[in-house]
Amino acid sequence: NVAGARALFDRWTEWEPEDHAWTSFVRLELRANQPDRARAVFQRYVACHNLPRAWVKWAKFEEKQGQTANSRAVFEAAMQEMDERDHGEAFFLAFAQFEERAKEAERARAIYKYALEALPRSQALDLHKKYVQFEKQHGDRRGIENVVVTRKRFAYEEAVKADPHTYDVWFDYARLEESAIEAEADYHRVRDVYERAVANVPPAADKRLWRRYIYLWLKYALFEELTALDAERAAAVLAEARRVVPHEHFTFAKLWVHAAHLEVRQKRLDAARKLLGQAIGRCPKDKLFKEYVQLELQLGDVERCRKLYGRYLEWSPSNCAAWAAYADLEASLGEASRSRAIFELAVGQEQLDMPESLWKAYLDFEIGASEWDKARALYRRLLARTRHVKVWLSFATMEVEAGGEGEGEAARERAAAVYAEAEASFRESGQKDERVLVLEAWRDMLARGGSEAALASVEAKMPKRVKKRRPVLGEEGEAAGWEEYYDYIFAEEEAAAPSLKILDMARKWKKQKVEGDS
């Protein structure tokens, strides 16, 4: 009695029962060979239970009936009728596999891609595996590469969602999107990644936290200029980066320099100068001054370079590198008097960060100009400030180099006088190691071209190197053993201490005895 059973099911379904009642009703109509009535039951079923499982059952019913178009229409209607939160992995998987069975590979691929973009990675693991299998079966090389890119994209999305301030992940994500560019229409993906990345401003005004962040802006600007070929957009990116940085606490010279170089490449020199001028006005740094000077040097504007060095040294008068660079600039222009005046101003400063490098540059300048008398006077001024052994050795070396043709002997005599003065100075101060260095340099000079008598005289001054022992104290002053060290015994010390001669004679006697026994 099909009619009676149908009446019972009709009354039952008015109470909106669970899935089992509806599927039993459908089976009844199919046994009665009434597919249209079964289709009407499915329409009431999905109206009652607007869920993926109901729509998928209906689509499979149509597919079994050989109605491919009807089955596709059911899936499309489900996409419109269901709430977006019900668009789950199982539904999309069923839709894509239906299209695969219908030999519609492009439709299936579109469904897979849409689903992978719409669903979070944690909810689409099985879907992604099926997509990989699908591309291996139906896709070409580009399709497989797209699968790999999609998988990495999901991984990066999960990583930046977990910690958006992990800037290295943003770098990798942006690099992935840049490598996946196939047409100009793909630029929006790269821009979206960069925009999302730079929106994660470091939480505190601590420069250590900002170092990696700033490179996101620089990479963004490089992409716009070199890949997208949009210089105006690149300039806007760098301007926004400068706005974000808290310049009252710190700045990044590379931001200003990169923006200025961009303006130069666009042949807007006034804009580049304005940028660098604004930089050294708001937040002066060594690198900013150096880059500005280098730019003006390349443009050949010497007067601007001089003004910049003036501001540089006014801001940092103790900067020896800046003084030396300014003097080198004047020397390269043939302005020896200007260069010398700058060096004089520099060495007259009360505080210098690296005075030894400044004095060396000044001496090299005078020696390079063959101004030997000025160099000697400069060495004397330096020795009045410090008696360091390197100064004495450099002074003596300069005297040797100052000798021209036919002046070799006179130059060695002047150098010998310097060595003798240095040796006497260190003898008075008791600096044995420095005294030995002077004597060794003196001896080497005479060995290369001095007289035998002079060489013998210096050899006589050389000390004896002896091994000694001394106690070692621990951290709390307690005895911690003994250590060996080498000491130098000079001739005048031997004369002042006769016991040293006795010890020397004892060593010689022991040596002769050992040799005699052997």
Side-chain angles (χ1 to χ4, degrees), residues 412-430:
R412 279 191 293 272
E413 290 179 0
R414 290 194 296 269
V418 173
Y419 281 128
E421 186 179 352
E423 194 268 340
S425 174
F426 291 126
R427 183 175 65 245
E428 292 177 4
S429 61

Side-chain angles (χ1 to χ4, degrees), residues 446-459:
L446 294 174
R448 288 193 298 270
S451 64
E452 300 257 342
L455 180 59
S457 174
V458 174
E459 289 281 4

Side-chain angles (χ1 to χ4, degrees), residues 6-7 13 38 57 76 121 128 135 141 150 156 202 210 230 245 258 266 276 380 445 502 514:
R6 185 179 293 123
T13 53
K57 287 178 181 178
E76 291 173 353
R121 177 175 172 77
H128 188 270
E135 287 294 350
R141 180 179 178 182
T150 304
Y156 289 138
W210 286 70
D230 192 341
V245 174
H258 193 90
Q266 299 304 310
L276 291 174
R380 290 298 174 186
M445 181 200 71
I502 296 174
V514 170

